[in-house]
Amino acid sequence: IVSETGEYGAHIPAIGVHNVLNALAGFGAGVAAGIEPEQCALALANFKNTGMRQKMRIFRGISVVEDCYNANPDSMKAALNTLGAQKLPEGAKKIAVLGDMLELGTVAESSHYEIGKLAAEKADILLCFGELSKLIVSGAKENGMENALHFENKDELSGYLRKTAKSGDMIWLKASRGMKFEDISESF
């Protein structure tokens, strides 16, 4: 971290540029509140995501990110950009498991379609569940992604995931809380 008072090394136990920006904001707020910059930088190492906010687990060599506490267009984009930026072993796949973003009102359809377009750029495989997520699949397919599938229920999606995911892969689960995507993670 570079500030007016100097440079400070910091470790943030989270992934994604958006988390770096949040950490910088936290550092700035702490310094503005009178906490020594060194102490603020050290405190960042104690950060812990709560609930199902980018909770990462390793299962049989597969990285599973449960990011299913909340979803909106900005958080979906952040998740897909973070997934896309991951360096995986050669041959490993980036698997986006996406569901509906709820309570978007008049922008619901266009937002889901746009997320599909981004998923086509950032993921190797896209698996979706939910009525609105059909538009995510459409956006992905219409933008060149062949491995984009929609499932009618979470059990079918979990079964496909069990057959498809291999050691070294990364699975990112993201949907609004009401979609209860933790069911997919638990079943997987």
Side-chain angles (χ1 to χ4, degrees), residues 4-73:
E4 295 173 350
T5 59
E7 293 185 20
Y8 307 92
H11 171 76
I12 307 158
I15 56 177
V17 172
H18 60 286
N19 282 318
V20 173
L21 297 174
N22 290 339
L24 289 171
F27 176 88
V31 170
I35 301 170
E36 290 297 320
E38 296 86 359
Q39 191 63 29
C40 290
L42 285 172
L44 292 173
N46 295 321
F47 170 79
K48 288 183 177 51
N49 279 325
T50 59
M52 292 170 277
R53 294 176 178 97
Q54 290 188 356
K55 177 180 167 187
M56 187 180 301
R57 295 195 282 177
I58 307 295
F59 177 73
R60 296 186 180 166
I62 302 165
S63 299
V64 180
V65 180
E66 293 176 350
D67 193 9
C68 38
Y69 180 79
N70 191 12
N72 59 56

Side-chain angles (χ1 to χ4, degrees), residues 116-184:
K117 287 171 56 176
L118 183 61
E121 298 172 20
K122 303 296 181 178
D124 301 308
I125 298 173
L126 172 65
L127 308 177
C128 292
F129 166 74
E131 195 60 33
L132 288 166
S133 73
K134 290 176 182 176
L135 293 164
I136 298 174
V137 172
S138 294
K141 285 187 173 187
E142 290 174 21
N143 285 278
M145 184 177 218
E146 294 178 18
N147 294 321
L149 302 168
H150 183 269
F151 294 85
E152 292 301 317
N153 65 62
K154 291 184 264 186
D155 288 336
E156 288 177 11
L157 193 157
S158 296
Y160 185 88
L161 200 52
R162 280 191 298 277
K163 288 187 249 179
T164 305
K166 306 286 184 239
S167 181
D169 290 352
M170 177 173 272
I171 300 168
W172 199 295
L173 295 110
K174 181 81 174 156
S176 281
R177 182 72 200 100
M179 298 300 294
K180 299 183 184 201
F181 261 39
E182 67 275 12
D183 296 346
I184 296 169

